[in-house]
Amino acid sequence: MKRIFLLICFIIAISCKQNSTQQQNEVVLWQPYNDSIEVLANQDHEVARMRYKLIQSKVLNKNEVFLPLHAEVSKFDETTYERIKPLVLERSIFDIKYEIEQGNLSYEELTLFFLYRIYKYEIDNTSTLNTVIALNKEVVDQARALDDLVAKGLAPRWKHPIYGMPILLKDNINTSGMNTTAGSIALLDNAVDDSFIVERLKANGALILGKVNLSEWAYFLCSGCPVGYSAVGGQTLNPYGRRIFETGGSSSGSGTAMAASYAVAAVGTETSGSILSPSSQNSVVGLKPTIGLLSRTGIVPISSTLDTPGPMTRNVMDNAILLSAMMGKDSVDSKSVANEYPGILSAGLHPTPCTELRLGAIQSLLDSDSIYKKSVEKLKELGAEVITFTPPEVAMDGFLSILNIDMRNDLPQYLKAHVKNSEEVTIRSVADAVEFNSKDSVTRIPYGQALFEGILADSTTEKGFEEIKSRLEQNGRTFFDTAMNTYQLDAILSINNYHAGYAAVAKYPALTVPMGYKTSGEPVSLTFIGKPFTEAELLRMGAAFEKVTQVRTIPENYKN
């Protein structure tokens, strides 16, 4: 009888465990919805590429993204959220570090605060920005581990300010434990090790919170298609006006996530405007560094000539901190430079006095944009010397061939070096990707793949390719240097990503800082463009402008 009793107890226990597991599997946080009404509402949009074909992804099940951490987030109630909100929301990294050091906040609470916001807005189909497409399942445990080190007095005596800060990454940046898709179904199962910059972030104690959406293949797939769209993540939306304003691209998720305060900071990538554009469109600070300041190893490429990652944050101080945390000499990246550029980490703390600035303002922008004109006048009032000029006309023909030839060469190298599961990721080249996409164009390429097809059709010779790169670099530098050298300027002032192409081929860094909002509510930013490796100087200029203007506001529907 005793054996029968024990057997019955065992069966009951197993049954209860199975029921518990079944109930957990049956939890549904998110329901797919019919987005046809939203799509129809955009069919007359004044911006042609915002006449969407779809909003939500056809392949991403958000329950798979959000269920693994649901139990943790569920313990973080609204009362706790409201208590912590004034300590974190829209605060700088140094502000947050102070609250942690004072015992008012833990790394675990900080991490859960951002997860709570992500769940609050991204699971709701009426507020989702289709921004967060993967979460680090271990991030709460990792935050607790940092708290434990602090409690035991084992935390590093000198900690980089990024220590314990939750960071989001554009989903073309390799990250172990989360597939790196570049927004493409062809890379949906792309399991990888950490990229060099993620290794640097982790070495400095940063917490990788998750991955964010992007324009598929960094907006080098389709022609005239919406920015912020990918087959994996769907259509990224702008928190300042969902389906009203563009998100900018291709680092769309990094920009929208920062605007909606989903993390302390985010990392984007740029070939030509892909950090500057979404930063400007989402009223955040974005820096496109000089090629080589940050490693590109382990990032899905477009162009080894022009690609670079860069920081995207809500203020200049945090931008400098994040940039500093990713720096380091990478022996694998031939363009990588040693960390010999001082002053970056502290740049946001030391704004350059406006009286010491010599800046160039472009005449055509003064004539056409009232916010730019007002910003320039403000700088002049505060003592900056501003020289008005008209840049020389320079040819940019051949630019597309740089991207075509580089991607044709660089993508196979990335796939060979970084894909760990070649059985699941079967493409080996751009040609393979074109063929893969063609097998299900409705799901994989609803906007076509004209740019990918253009890569295959480009007949530029190796000699012609080198000539184009050399000529465009010279032309880009002429565009800026004519005024910079003549008037001994510290930087050129532009708007958003208006001159990103020239800065790209010149290999010049550019920093964009919020400068206001149009009457429609659409954000607009002032962009500082400088000579190579002047990031610290640009950040100090940006900090000065930010300090005297203080124009950035959190999106109205994402304040709570």
Side-chain angles (χ1 to χ4, degrees), residues 296-432:
R296 290 88 54 83
T297 300
I299 298 176
V300 181
I302 291 180
S303 168
S304 54
T305 305
L306 305 178
D307 288 348
T308 179
M312 297 170 68
T313 58
R314 282 179 292 275
N315 60 71
V316 175
M317 187 184 302
D318 290 356
N319 205 273
I321 290 170
L322 180 55
L323 176 64
S324 166
M326 294 188 286
M327 289 171 59
K329 171 69 173 176
D330 174 14
S331 60
V332 177
D333 184 347
S334 63
K335 301 286 181 64
S336 179
V337 298
N339 188 1
E340 297 174 351
Y341 299 94
I344 287 176
L345 177 60
S346 62
L349 292 170
H350 302 290
T352 301
C354 288
T355 53
E356 297 179 11
L357 292 177
R358 286 179 61 84
L359 304 168
I362 298 173
Q363 183 65 61
S364 60
L365 299 184
L366 289 169
D367 295 339
S368 61
D369 193 291
S370 60
I371 301 176
Y372 177 82
K373 183 176 181 179
K374 181 181 177 181
S375 297
V376 170
E377 291 299 325
K378 181 69 174 178
L379 287 167
K380 290 168 70 174
E381 288 172 13
L382 293 167
E385 188 166 359
V386 180
I387 309 298
T388 301
F389 75 102
T390 298
E393 292 186 10
V394 297
M396 291 289 280
D397 54 296
F399 182 87
L400 190 59
S401 285
I402 294 179
L403 310 188
N404 287 340
I405 305 306
D406 267 345
M407 189 161 187
R408 198 160 70 198
N409 296 331
D410 297 340
L411 182 59
Q413 293 177 21
Y414 166 87
L415 294 169
K416 182 179 180 180
H418 298 286
V419 175
K420 296 169 64 177
N421 54 335
S422 55
E423 299 82 6
E424 286 82 18
V425 180
T426 59
I427 66 167
R428 300 290 181 268
S429 64
V430 175
D432 289 348

Side-chain angles (χ1 to χ4, degrees), residues 484-496:
M484 292 186 79
N485 293 342
T486 301
Y487 304 113
Q488 295 299 297
L489 302 177
D490 299 309
I492 300 292
L493 300 178
S494 181
I495 299 174
N496 296 4

